[in-house]
Amino acid sequence: MDESSKPTTDRAVPGFDASVAGKRAECDGGGPILGTRYAGRQEFTGTLSGEFVDHGDPPWRWYLLKDLERKPDNYADECVWCESGSVFLVDEPNRVPGRP
Amino acid sequence: MAKNPLHTPFCEMFGIEYPIIAFTHCKDVVVAVTNAGGFSVLGEAMHTPDEIAADLKWIRDRIGTKPFGVDLVLPASVPPAGGLDELKSKIPQGHRDYADMIHKKYDVPEPKGKEALHQWGGLNQQMARAQLEVLLEERVPLLASGLGNPAFILDAAHARGIKVFGLVGKTRQAKREIEAGVDGIIAQGFDAAGHTGEMGTFSIVPEVVSIAQGKPVIAAGGVTTGRHLAAALCLGAAGVWTGTLWLASRESDVDMIIKERLIASTAEDTDFSKSISGMTMRVLKCPWTTEWKKPEAPAPLPAPYQMLLSSPYIQGANDNRRGDLMTEAAGQGVSFVTAMKPARQIVMDVVDEALTTFENLTGDD
């Protein structure tokens, strides 16, 4: 394999995407369940702050969803990081955030 | 019959005989199903990159160049929380007290080993990236993303000849992933083991097929017989994704106590409960799930907090082999898991029943 094309894991580059800042969005979220072999789904609705972090290369983009209007029962936090492919803009359902 | 109904586009894609995909965490099941003409996907979400590399070598030593897959759980959302101790500190005292009550009432033993929670750094994206690197390096024929959208890794995977499938619980997730360029979709219904979406298999499969642009769609959730396979193909699926079917197989490394419970269980013996992880999850009923359904029980905490509460119970039950306490993820198709058979025989039984079903439908023999 060409080393230059090898994905990297150790970079996390923060940024700001003005094109999504302030937009309402839903996140079909979830992830691995600590200590088990399983995964679970969690759904959120809130407002994108515009902040993002690109993990590794090729970049794996994560957006910060704040002011959560919908979140799992007892979800303790006021915000959640959502993977860009799992973010659905409420008013632009066909647009994938982070892509042209 | 002019055409073999079991020879689907998924079979064409990988050059396999039967469109039966075994999702398993057991390498022996992978080998047995693959060598029987089916296709296997090994769940590696909990393993370190080194463990994954070792597993791939072990499997390849036994199946040669036959294709197989690996499933990783790519996260789709991550709370802005810190480490394990910080998470534990957020658990309300009322929930701790209720968990303690269950431990006392059922005399739940202490875990024998180190808590698994401490052995895994799966709370962040870095772990998933490191796991992905191994799969890319090893050029695993199929990468299945068990939850998050795998779009970001598609180019790297395709450049190495790796097919990428996404497992979805909603049609809009399938649409997003298909537009991104995945090679196929696993459409998982509510009947499935573990964590599922809210749509039933009979509803989500044809809906995803209708927007899949000809890409193979694999039906998941409640599939344990040849009749299920035939039905899935009639819905437009190109194969079935099966998990519970293999848990009680002879090769499976699941504890014999759980195998016996699976064999004795019906769909009604499963619970759809948030008490294990904080997310609704289908498992075999056990005292933990029953107690958290009682009116006096506090509402289960969201993930990952509820898992921090349930982990000592689950690990204590498993480490000490307390059959009255143990549980396992199981789908509603568990009713048809009625014997401990070799995986090869399970493949053949499903194939034979599916073919018979098609013959009965068409009148061919």
Side-chain angles (χ1 to χ4, degrees):
Chain A
M1 182 171 24
D2 175 9
E3 284 300 308
S4 66
S5 68
K6 189 175 175 181
T8 62
T9 61
D10 55 354
R11 269 192 290 171
V13 181
F16 185 80
D17 181 352
S19 74
V20 299
K23 291 190 183 288
R24 286 184 70 230
E26 296 173 344
C27 172
D28 289 355
I33 296 167
L34 207 60
T36 76
R37 306 182 298 195
Y38 303 103
R41 297 188 183 279
Q42 290 185 306
E43 297 185 349
F44 302 87
T45 304
T47 302
L48 291 167
S49 71
E51 295 163 78
F52 69 79
V53 174
D54 282 339
H55 287 272
D57 183 21
W60 190 13
R61 179 161 294 190
W62 291 72
Y63 283 101
L64 188 61
L65 191 66
K66 300 174 85 167
D67 301 330
L68 300 178
E69 305 158 27
R70 181 180 60 137
K71 58 185 182 179
D73 291 342
N74 292 325
Y75 182 81
D77 296 297
E78 299 301 319
C79 56
V80 62
W81 286 97
C82 299
E83 189 272 321
S84 63
S86 302
V87 173
F88 296 81
L89 298 175
V90 171
D91 296 323
E92 300 168 80
N94 293 323
R95 179 180 161 201
V96 184
R99 292 209 200 119
Chain B
M1 205 177 295
K3 182 176 175 290
N4 175 2
L6 301 189
H7 191 75
T8 70
F10 185 82
C11 297
E12 284 285 319
M13 183 179 275
F14 289 101
I16 59 165
E17 284 185 76
Y18 309 121
I20 300 167
I21 300 155
F23 170 68
T24 176
H25 297 94
C26 176
K27 302 192 294 289
D28 293 282
V29 172
V30 169
V31 170
V33 172
T34 304
N35 285 333
F39 192 95
S40 298
V41 175
L42 183 66
E44 290 277 27
M46 270 292 284
H47 285 176
T48 65
D50 286 347
E51 289 169 336
I52 294 173
D55 287 348
L56 299 183
K57 180 178 185 318
W58 191 94
I59 289 168
R60 281 178 160 145
D61 284 346
R62 287 158 180 79
I63 66 170
T65 58
K66 292 190 184 82
F68 68 104
V70 168
D71 177 280
L72 294 181
V73 175
L74 302 180
S77 64
V78 174
L84 203 58
D85 290 338
E86 184 184 338
L87 289 171
K88 281 185 169 176
S89 72
K90 290 184 178 176
I91 295 175
Q93 190 58 45
H95 287 74
R96 293 177 196 276
D97 292 344
Y98 199 75
D100 288 344
M101 180 278 294
I102 297 172
H103 279 252
K104 284 185 185 132
K105 180 174 179 181
Y106 294 94
D107 190 24
V108 178
E110 292 291 320
K112 285 183 177 172
K114 198 176 176 187
E115 242 184 300
L117 293 172
H118 295 283
Q119 299 171 15
W120 183 49
L123 279 178
N124 56 39
Q125 296 89 339
Q126 199 170 0
M127 177 67 163
R129 289 300 300 238
Q131 292 172 323
L132 279 169
E133 277 194 44
V134 176
L135 302 189
L136 294 173
E137 188 85 32
E138 294 286 338
R139 297 175 189 254
V140 170
L142 184 148
L143 162 62
S145 170
L147 198 140
N149 188 331
F152 72 99
I153 206 72
L154 279 172
D155 288 346
H158 288 161
R160 292 158 179 81
I162 298 170
K163 304 286 188 194
V164 180
F165 278 49
L167 188 149
V168 304
K170 281 184 181 180
T171 305
R172 77 174 181 183
Q173 295 159 357
K175 184 171 184 288
R176 178 71 66 85
E177 294 188 15
I178 287 163
E179 287 171 354
V182 296
D183 301 287
I185 292 286
I186 303 137
Q188 186 194 47
F190 173 79
D191 332 34
H195 298 80
T196 75
E198 294 178 354
M199 289 179 76
T201 306
F202 231 71
S203 299
I204 192 170
V205 171
E207 210 171 286
V208 172
V209 168
S210 69
I211 54 106
Q213 301 174 8
K215 292 184 176 176
V217 175
I218 307 301
V223 178
T224 45
T225 70
R227 283 173 288 158
H228 290 120
L229 170 57
L233 299 185
C234 289
L235 292 173
V240 288
W241 176 274
T242 53
T244 303
L245 182 57
W246 313 99
L247 292 175
S249 68
R250 195 163 290 172
E251 292 86 350
S252 165
D253 58 5
V254 167
D255 193 299
M256 189 59 73
I257 292 172
I258 290 291
K259 286 187 181 184
E260 288 170 355
R261 282 192 59 200
L262 288 162
I263 287 167
S265 294
T266 68
E268 291 183 357
D269 296 313
T270 67
D271 231 336
F272 198 57
S273 169
K274 287 186 176 178
S275 67
I276 302 283
S277 68
M279 309 185 206
T280 43
M281 176 179 186
R282 189 177 302 288
V283 296
L284 290 178
K285 284 179 182 169
C286 70
W288 182 268
T289 60
T290 303
E291 289 291 340
W292 283 91
K293 277 204 165 171
K294 290 185 173 172
E296 65 269 28
L301 297 166
Y305 305 102
Q306 187 69 20
M307 193 68 224
L308 297 174
L309 273 180
S310 69
S311 178
Y313 169 95
I314 291 170
Q315 209 167 328
N318 290 343
D319 288 355
N320 295 279
R321 303 192 72 231
R322 280 279 300 274
D324 58 323
L325 303 177
M326 291 163 76
T327 185
E328 174 63 89
Q332 291 184 322
V334 70
S335 304
F336 297 101
V337 177
T338 56
M340 197 175 82
K341 299 188 286 190
R344 170 177 286 276
Q345 187 186 335
I346 295 173
V347 171
M348 292 309 155
D349 287 350
V350 170
V351 166
D352 287 347
E353 189 181 64
L355 289 173
T356 301
T357 303
F358 280 118
E359 286 164 6
N360 290 341
L361 285 173
T362 61
D364 291 348
D365 44 41

